[in-house]
Amino acid sequence: MFNKLLIANRGEIACRVIKTAKRMGIPTVAVYSDADRNALHVKMADEAVHIGPPAASESYIVIDKIMGAIRDTGADAVHPGYGFLSENKAFAEALEAEGVAFVGPPASAIEQMGDKITSKKIAAEAGVSTVPGHMGLIADAAEAIKISGEIGYPVMLKASAGGGGKGMRIAWSEDEVAEGFQASKNEAASSFGDDRMFIEKFVTQPRHIEIQVLADKHGNAIYLGERECSIQRRNQKVIEEAPSPFLDEATRKAMGEEAVALAKAVGYTSAGTVEFIVDGERNFYFLEMNTRLQVEHPVTELITGVDLVEQMIRVAAGQPLEMAQDDVTLTGWAMESRLYAEDPYRNFLPSIGRLTRYRPPAEVAAGPLLDTGKWQGDADSGETAVRNDTGVYEGGEISMYYDPMIAKLCTWAPDRPAAIEAMRVALDSFELEGIGHNLPFLSAVMDHPKFASGDITTAFIAEEYPDGFEGVTLQEADLVRVAAAAAAMHRVAEIRRTRVSGRMDNHERRVGADWVVSLQGQSFNAVIEADHDGSTVTIDGKTLRVASDWTPGDQLARLSVDGTKLVLKVGKLPGGFRLRTRGAELKVHVRTPRQAELAQLMPEKLPPDTSKLLLCPMPGLVVKIDVEEGQEVQDGQALCTVEAMKMENILRAERKGVVAKINAGAGDSLAVDDVIMEFE
């Protein structure tokens, strides 16, 4: 086994690898940039080496700097994580030349599978089903338009060296090809240093399902089931699960065998993932092979009990796999929600800053081990598990230089409905403040009837949230439950206020039983009868039993309302609370009947009018301005391009108008809500 493992990465994946290495007794080395000097992975590792400025292009993807850290520390193995240098042939070759083990596949496999055009040709030769498309390189937008017309719309523009949704766009017309081709090339060049593009047919009603493969250096290769990754936004996965609710055993076996055949065709070793697109008839087509550990690998670990990081390390050390295909069993169901530093109320644009509060739900194992080792839950036990893979901590910062991922929250349960319910509770229990984040959106998806049914495609978010995410409107029954909980909590807070010392003599304050609870535009009359075990709340004739150990000042309330678990994120509000639950952000006022009567007479404060301003929706860099002062613009016309976290965002006109003033230019760095231009 290795004497020292260097992790050539950062964030949650670096922390994840360190956990397994520590359990295996292997000392670890972290590398870090200026921006990550106080990062969690640096604190967790046994040693840490500074490798340069914040930009990844000057630190994490500079091979010479990583090699220098290896020499300085004497590391004899390197785990690349995902992203950065994980699929870089030159890096794998540099390690081989240095006599250092690469915890990943051979450089030849990286080269063949890392290029999407080459990989499709090899897949076809290996008998793997592939999507129709143009496998050659494309010179310019004019050629892209010609090829797209021959394939037939819609088409997918993809960067040959792409990944993570970067350099990828769907085009439904010639105009969209012309506009998207150059933007995709720019993103590819910026993210991968390779702007080669290709085009393939976009399969309608598609599901994104991938197969996890594992191969050693002794000719053994197996597959460990599949992952459903269809919940995507801008081709970036948001929620994953294992197994897929769509596959039957025959399709799973066929996909797995083709994935293994492809791995063997390129002499693959280590953990890898073969991605497929699957249509409504369960026809499947090869998309690409990721020659690395996937972001969503925890769900496979939770249903198979296999620690993929451990297996990668053992394979790199020359050990044979300890299991055969017949030894692989899929037990229970696992969900993963990717928690991102992006604001769903601003069209999911990046949000950076300091985590003033970061309290994930407690990790709970349903078996002997949680996130490492041969753990596997018992499907007959009824237990559930919670796992949180993260690379941040309270007080830390989300940097503009790297991926906006905060954490990967995972749940396991004996079946899919139970895994979803466990995720709902875990998301509600996640306390996160200081930045914009997608927790409300993740909760909304978990409660969406279409998701709950398993009837999903990669177009789920685009179809179900065509106008973006504007929050969740709770159903009447859920609203009544929250109202009852708020009334009971308010009574507890009022009783506490009556006990404050230093009160004036002869001024006793009594807490009444009648209240009016206002939330989500509705008001409910509530009558509370309290006892030592909780409260009985009657709302408009309906009686609910509320029990909780919540005390004023707690920012998380765990309650039982008529025997059903309810978790509320609690904030202060004059005369009530600011509550978050199941994706809904609620301002809740609890008043006496007379106070409620007077509140109806108060005028509503309206937000300022920004309809004639183009505001920067996120911190970013202006790439270009597409219009001039005095120019008339049409609805949907591109106004400017802003780059944030390596993604180019085109800002468009919401209506017809005339540009009165432009306040920013190419190269300017802007903050959220900076005025880019004004309209007449």
Side-chain angles (χ1 to χ4, degrees):
M1 191 47 67
F2 302 117
N3 296 315
K4 189 178 292 186
L5 177 69
L6 183 142
I7 298 94
N9 217 299
R10 64 175 300 281
E12 68 85 14
I13 187 57
C15 296
R16 165 70 188 91
V17 174
I18 290 170
K19 285 182 180 179
T20 286
K22 284 184 177 295
R23 185 176 58 80
M24 296 177 70
I26 303 173
T28 55
V29 179
V31 292
Y32 65 93
S33 69
D34 291 340
D36 281 338
R37 190 173 298 276
N38 297 312
L40 184 60
H41 74 284
V42 175
K43 299 175 185 295
M44 289 179 62
D46 298 300
E47 299 177 58
V49 179
H50 176 251
I51 55 171
S57 60
E58 300 178 57
S59 52
Y60 291 106
I61 63 174
V62 180
I63 294 176
D64 288 345
K65 292 188 176 183
I66 301 297
M67 297 305 297
I70 293 169
R71 297 185 188 104
D72 291 345
T73 58
D76 56 350
V78 173
H79 196 299
Y82 53 74
F84 293 150
L85 297 172
S86 62
E87 295 176 285
N88 188 302
K89 173 197 171 189
F91 182 53
E93 290 176 336
L95 292 173
E96 184 178 1
E98 194 80 13
V100 175
F102 178 63
V103 184
S108 58
I110 294 175
E111 180 179 27
Q112 294 176 84
M113 292 292 98
D115 186 294
K116 289 182 171 59
I117 295 172
T118 302
S119 68
K120 288 185 184 300
K121 292 179 180 178
I122 294 174
E125 292 170 358
V128 180
S129 303
T130 58
V131 179
H134 181 81
M135 295 297 102
L137 298 178
I138 300 161
D140 53 32
E143 185 181 358
I145 291 172
K146 178 177 180 296
I147 292 169
S148 299
E150 294 171 353
I151 295 173
Y153 292 98
V155 297
M156 178 77 81
L157 309 174
K158 301 180 78 171
S160 181
K166 297 178 178 65
M168 184 185 299
R169 278 171 172 76
I170 300 170
W172 296 79
S173 65
E174 289 186 1
D175 289 343
E176 291 187 7
V177 171
E179 182 180 273
F181 184 79
Q182 191 58 48
S184 293
K185 280 179 72 73
N186 292 344
E187 284 182 8
S190 173
S191 299
F192 314 110
D194 183 345
D195 67 353
R196 294 176 300 154
M197 301 293 298
F198 72 101
I199 298 176
E200 65 185 15
K201 177 72 175 176
F202 178 68
V203 179
T204 55
Q205 296 299 305
R207 300 177 79 113
H208 185 132
I209 301 175
E210 60 191 30
I211 300 292
Q212 176 70 59
V213 296
L214 187 61
D216 63 22
K217 298 178 181 179
H218 303 273
N220 304 307
I222 61 174
Y223 63 93
L224 293 97
E226 80 283 0
R227 295 185 288 260
E228 173 83 58
C229 307
S230 297
I231 304 300
Q232 304 180 5
R233 187 188 57 76
R234 297 175 184 169
N235 301 304
Q236 179 71 53
K237 299 165 188 172
V238 178
I239 293 170
E240 300 98 350
E241 60 183 298
S244 166
F246 185 61
L247 294 192
D248 54 25
E249 189 55 45
T251 308
R252 175 179 296 115
K253 184 174 186 291
M255 292 175 68
E257 289 176 349
E258 286 197 14
V260 168
L262 179 60
K264 289 184 175 181
V266 294
Y268 196 89
T269 63
S270 192
T273 295
V274 181
E275 300 193 346
F276 292 93
I277 191 167
V278 185
D279 68 17
E281 301 299 319
R282 295 196 179 94
N283 298 307
F284 55 89
Y285 307 96
F286 170 74
L287 281 177
E288 62 181 329
M289 183 175 190
N290 290 308
T291 56
R292 54 171 168 78
L293 189 67
Q294 288 282 83
V295 175
E296 57 274 16
H297 75 275
V299 292
T300 295
E301 294 183 327
L302 288 171
I303 66 166
T304 63
V306 176
D307 183 335
L308 290 172
V309 174
E310 177 184 351
Q311 294 305 311
M312 292 179 75
I313 294 172
R314 293 192 180 282
V315 167
Q319 297 182 8
L321 295 181
E322 297 176 344
M323 68 201 83
Q325 190 62 60
D326 291 343
D327 298 324
V328 178
T329 57
L330 309 183
T331 302
W333 214 281
M335 289 277 164
E336 175 178 292
S337 293
R338 297 193 190 189
L339 179 53
Y340 284 120
E342 56 186 21
D343 191 341
Y345 303 106
R346 289 176 175 264
N347 198 27
F348 299 93
L349 291 170
S351 175
I352 62 175
R354 188 173 299 281
L355 295 170
T356 57
R357 190 173 183 85
Y358 180 75
R359 309 284 174 86
E363 292 189 289
V364 178
L369 291 172
L370 181 65
D371 59 353
T372 55
K374 296 183 180 303
W375 177 84
Q376 191 168 12
D378 178 1
D380 297 323
S381 68
E383 296 178 304
T384 60
V386 178
R387 165 176 168 175
N388 189 57
D389 285 17
T390 188
V392 303
Y393 56 90
E394 188 168 291
E397 285 193 65
I398 301 299
S399 170
M400 66 179 288
Y401 297 101
Y402 311 116
D403 186 272
M405 182 181 290
I406 299 170
K408 300 181 313 195
L409 182 64
C410 303
T411 57
W412 177 93
D415 54 42
R416 188 171 189 267
I420 292 175
E421 180 59 27
M423 181 61 75
R424 289 168 179 154
V425 174
L427 289 168
D428 282 344
S429 304
F430 210 124
E431 298 184 68
L432 180 59
E433 296 175 12
I435 60 170
H437 55 77
N438 66 335
L439 273 173
F441 178 71
L442 296 171
S443 293
V445 173
M446 287 297 143
D447 269 345
H448 198 290
K450 198 168 186 179
F451 177 79
S453 72
D455 180 20
I456 53 178
T457 71
T458 55
F460 173 86
I461 292 177
E463 291 175 351
E464 302 303 322
Y465 303 94
D467 301 320
F469 181 71
E470 298 178 353
V472 171
T473 299
L474 293 181
Q475 298 296 317
E476 184 78 9
D478 293 326
L479 207 59
V480 169
R481 292 174 62 237
V482 174
M489 291 164 61
H490 184 76
R491 180 185 178 279
V492 170
E494 283 291 283
I495 291 175
R496 182 175 182 177
R497 284 188 277 270
T498 66
R499 297 172 179 169
V500 174
S501 61
R503 294 173 297 166
M504 295 177 63
D505 293 339
N506 301 319
H507 285 74
E508 185 176 355
R509 182 177 180 181
R510 295 184 179 276
V511 178
D514 295 326
W515 302 93
V516 177
V517 184
S518 302
L519 70 168
Q520 199 173 281
Q522 297 188 50
S523 293
F524 300 94
N525 295 313
V527 179
I528 303 177
E529 296 181 11
D531 54 53
H532 290 296
D533 299 319
S535 301
T536 299
V537 183
T538 302
I539 293 184
D540 294 345
K542 183 177 182 179
T543 301
L544 300 99
R545 182 67 181 173
V546 180
S548 172
D549 59 357
W550 179 82
T551 57
D554 290 349
Q555 296 190 34
L556 198 67
R558 301 178 186 275
L559 308 101
S560 170
V561 181
D562 266 6
T564 301
K565 185 182 294 185
L566 178 65
V567 180
L568 301 172
K569 180 72 174 66
V570 184
K572 294 180 180 179
L573 200 66
F577 309 98
R578 188 184 300 274
L579 303 178
R580 189 196 80 205
T581 185
R582 295 295 171 91
E585 304 276 354
L586 303 167
K587 290 183 178 180
V588 184
H589 291 95
V590 185
R591 304 181 175 103
T592 65
R594 178 55 177 163
Q595 289 171 337
E597 181 183 345
L598 295 174
Q600 295 294 320
L601 305 176
M602 298 295 291
E604 182 179 355
K605 184 179 180 180
L606 299 176
D609 181 13
T610 59
S611 61
K612 294 186 177 182
L613 303 175
L614 176 65
L615 304 178
C616 188
M618 72 289 192
L621 181 73
V622 178
V623 177
K624 64 175 179 175
I625 300 291
D626 295 300
V627 296
E628 300 175 350
E629 291 184 0
Q631 179 179 339
E632 182 177 273
V633 297
Q634 304 299 318
D635 181 16
Q637 182 175 340
L639 301 174
C640 70
T641 302
V642 178
E643 180 182 348
M645 291 185 173
K646 298 187 289 185
M647 294 290 284
E648 290 191 355
N649 303 275
I650 300 175
L651 307 186
R652 302 180 182 277
E654 294 183 354
R655 63 183 65 86
K656 182 178 178 181
V658 176
V659 180
K661 184 180 179 182
I662 297 177
N663 300 315
D668 289 350
S669 293
L670 303 180
V672 175
D673 289 340
D674 278 354
V675 179
I676 300 174
M677 61 184 71
E678 304 172 25
F679 301 91
E680 294 181 358

